[in-house]
Structure formats: structure tokens, C-alpha cells
Amino acid sequence: MSDREPVDIMGVFAFPNPDKDKRDIRFIDSAYRTLFTIKDGESIVITRFDGEKMILSCAYIDDYHVCVGNSTYHICEFAEMQERNGNTYVPRTPKISAEIGTYEIYQITAIADVDYCFRPYAEAKGKLQSADYQRSYAGMYAKENSLEHLWTKHNSDHRPFARRMRSMSVSDIVVLTQAGKKTAYYTDSVGFKEVPEFLTQKHQEKNKHRERGIER
């Protein structure tokens, strides 16, 4: 505990760092893993699950509290709120934001119509179609994270989006974005299998939609 007297900043009894040059704002995930830091007064971009982007300026309160836009948060409270909503958040600075890890979970929607749903990769190989999947969740992926951790997280009693998506299961696809590179993994009966064909198909789908838009 700090031996300094707290000061009231934006309604928070805060202990700001006396060295103004070290008043960095730390953003974490809900497990308290550091994702990135920004300088006092810089902005972040929050991408909502529906794709809407919000650019919000941030103000340092102390090492554990931040003002984002017009609201004040404990840094863990902010992380937990974004997790509940399936939002991702990165610095507005493009060079820095490109290094921040995120993940998406895709699940088969018409489970009765897809014969490899809930089946191991050995049975999905050669059948896997990105069109069978729907994006079900998005979240932050710290450097210390792992696919096994995501499995545990999305099968817990307090998993995010518990009422909007089923627990993480065999046949789900996890797409990691790390240092600007996307990698897709099939959730196998044991472990995870990299499936680059999923991203290739998604890319082809996007190009087809663009071409149809031009034709119209």
C-alpha cells in the first residue's frame, strides 16, 4: 500500500505516480495480463462485436485507474466489461496496435446439417467449409495466453457470452491475430489443428462479396 495520501481524481481516491514521466496507462485482459500501455492523453480504438469502432481518448488517474472517454474504470473492470461484450481494444497508433493479439471463435450454426460438427479433425478433413461457420465471439489474446486457456475459459461456469453462444467445443475454429498475422485452428478432440484452408475460404468469400457489390 502506498504511503502517500490519496487524492480525489474524477471521483476516484487515487495514488498517482509522482513522476509525471512515468504516468503510463496500462491495459490488461481480465486475467490481469498486460496487453499494452499508452501515454496519458493518447487514444484507443474499441471494436465492438458488431464491427462498430469507437475512438476514445484516455486519461491517467493512477496505475490502476483510467478515464476512457467520459467514464472512469479500474483497469480490470474495463477489461472485464469489454470481455463480457465481446469487444477488442487496441492503441490508436497503428504501429503499436498491429502488435496486439486478439482471437475470434467460430462455431457451426446448422449443427444438424453438417456431418463433421462436434467431430474430430480426422472426420472434418476435406469437408471443412468456412460457410458452415458463424463468428461467435471476439476477445483479447495476451502473449502469455494459450489455446488451452481459451478452452478452459469458454467452458467455465462464468464464460463470456454464455447466453449467446454454446461452450467451446470440438469442431469450433479459433482464429488468432498476432503481430498482424492470422492463424486458424480447429478444436480437435485432443489439442488443436492448424487449418489454413479456413482463412483461404474466408478470403475467397470476401472477394466474392466485393465482386457482387461491383456488379450491382
Side-chain angles (χ1 to χ4, degrees):
M1 193 72 177
S2 173
D3 56 2
R4 287 176 275 130
E5 290 294 321
V7 292
D8 187 337
I9 303 177
M10 302 179 191
V12 175
F13 287 102
F15 295 87
N17 194 318
D19 186 344
K20 293 185 178 181
D21 292 333
K22 295 183 179 179
R23 291 184 176 182
D24 292 339
I25 302 170
R26 182 166 64 111
F27 285 89
I28 61 175
D29 66 10
S30 64
Y32 247 95
R33 302 182 185 94
T34 298
L35 298 167
F36 59 89
T37 60
I38 62 173
K39 297 294 183 183
D40 185 16
E42 293 184 343
S43 300
I44 62 170
V45 179
I46 298 176
T47 302
R48 293 172 33 143
F49 185 70
D50 62 8
E52 179 185 351
K53 293 183 182 293
M54 300 177 289
I55 299 173
L56 299 172
S57 61
C58 303
Y60 173 93
I61 296 177
D62 65 14
D63 290 353
Y64 296 95
H65 296 87
V66 60
C67 180
V68 179
N70 297 317
S71 301
T72 58
Y73 303 94
H74 187 282
I75 57 174
C76 194
E77 176 191 11
F78 176 82
E80 289 172 345
M81 184 174 73
Q82 304 314 311
E83 180 181 278
R84 286 195 301 272
N85 294 328
N87 298 342
T88 58
Y89 43 101
V90 298
R92 189 180 184 185
T93 307
K95 185 176 181 180
I96 299 174
S97 64
E99 299 298 316
I100 310 304
T102 60
Y103 72 97
E104 299 169 297
I105 296 176
Y106 290 80
Q107 295 183 322
I108 295 171
T109 50
I111 58 177
D113 299 333
V114 179
D115 62 2
Y116 62 87
C117 185
F118 304 131
R119 308 304 300 171
Y121 180 72
E123 296 183 35
K125 187 176 181 180
K127 302 178 182 179
L128 183 66
Q129 294 294 323
S130 65
D132 294 334
Y133 286 83
Q134 178 176 297
R135 182 172 174 267
S136 300
Y137 187 75
M140 303 305 297
Y141 193 82
K143 291 180 180 179
E144 303 89 345
N145 215 332
S146 68
L147 292 170
E148 287 74 18
H149 171 262
L150 295 185
W151 172 271
T152 301
K153 182 183 191 69
H154 288 276
N155 278 280
S156 71
D157 292 338
H158 305 289
R159 66 183 187 273
F161 272 27
R163 296 182 179 181
R164 296 177 56 176
M165 63 178 282
R166 61 180 179 266
S167 61
M168 195 170 171
S169 307
V170 172
S171 76
D172 288 356
I173 301 286
V174 181
V175 176
L176 299 185
T177 302
Q178 297 172 294
K181 179 184 177 183
K182 289 184 180 291
T183 311
Y185 296 92
Y186 186 94
T187 307
D188 210 346
S189 51
V190 178
F192 298 83
K193 174 70 176 177
E194 187 174 343
V195 282
E197 64 267 31
F198 182 83
L199 296 177
T200 300
Q201 292 171 11
K202 293 293 288 184
H203 182 69
Q204 291 170 345
E205 284 178 25
K206 186 179 293 186
N207 286 340
K208 286 180 181 178
H209 290 315
R210 286 175 180 169
E211 290 171 2
R212 288 171 184 166
I214 293 172
E215 288 172 1
R216 293 195 189 101

